[in-house]
Amino acid sequence: QVQLVESGGGLVQPGHSLRLSCTASGNIFTIYAMGWYRQAPGKQRELVADITSSDTSSDMTNYADSVKGRFTISRDYAKNTVFLLMSNLKPEVTAVYYCHADILPYWGTRNDCWGQGTQVTVSS
């Protein structure tokens, strides 16, 4: 019904940057929010950042404390795409990053959708 396709993960050296992208397609009437979660080996999945559409001129963004100032989330509403720019990367951010979207479909009920995940590895 709804697909989230992620791209942009990979192996990068510490201090470098990486940009993740996620595009939603399919049975979509409205996307209320999009975001990124991550799961490192042996740990629970956690929120990295999300962005919610607002009636005002600015979107509402939310970041995990550990990434504030280094990660930036943004959306392209016309393309149903969310981006995560990760700067000054450190080894501790190594994880599988999952795209998430809060979607109201044309038919059906509002629900959470997830991508398959993309591996981000920071290592020298």
Side-chain angles (χ1 to χ4, degrees), residues 56-118:
T56 65
S57 59
S58 302
D59 292 327
M60 294 184 293
T61 58
N62 178 42
Y63 294 93
D65 288 341
S66 61
V67 306
K68 286 180 180 177
R70 296 188 295 115
F71 289 13
T72 303
I73 191 168
S74 60
R75 274 178 70 173
D76 182 332
Y77 284 87
K79 298 181 179 179
N80 287 339
T81 298
V82 64
F83 304 97
L84 184 69
L85 176 61
M86 305 183 290
S87 304
N88 190 21
L89 287 166
K90 301 178 181 180
E92 51 262 39
V93 308
T94 294
V96 177
Y97 284 70
Y98 296 91
C99 178
H100 167 264
D102 177 5
I103 292 175
L104 177 65
Y106 283 104
W107 55 90
T109 57
R110 181 173 174 177
N111 61 91
D112 293 317
C113 300
W114 293 91
Q116 292 298 310
T118 184

Side-chain angles (χ1 to χ4, degrees), residues 2-69:
V2 175
Q3 284 188 323
L4 299 182
V5 178
E6 300 129 330
S7 62
L11 173 63
V12 63
Q13 292 183 337
H16 288 211
S17 298
L18 206 59
R19 191 178 81 156
L20 304 182
S21 300
C22 171
T23 299
S25 62
N27 178 20
I28 299 171
F29 178 69
T30 298
I31 300 178
Y32 292 105
M34 297 187 80
W36 294 92
Y37 287 70
R38 67 187 177 192
Q39 188 167 17
K43 295 187 177 181
Q44 291 187 332
R45 189 175 297 188
E46 62 177 359
L47 174 70
V48 177
D50 60 22
I51 182 167
T52 305
S53 59
S54 171
D55 292 335
T56 65
S57 59
S58 302
D59 292 327
M60 294 184 293
T61 58
N62 178 42
Y63 294 93
D65 288 341
S66 61
V67 306
K68 286 180 180 177

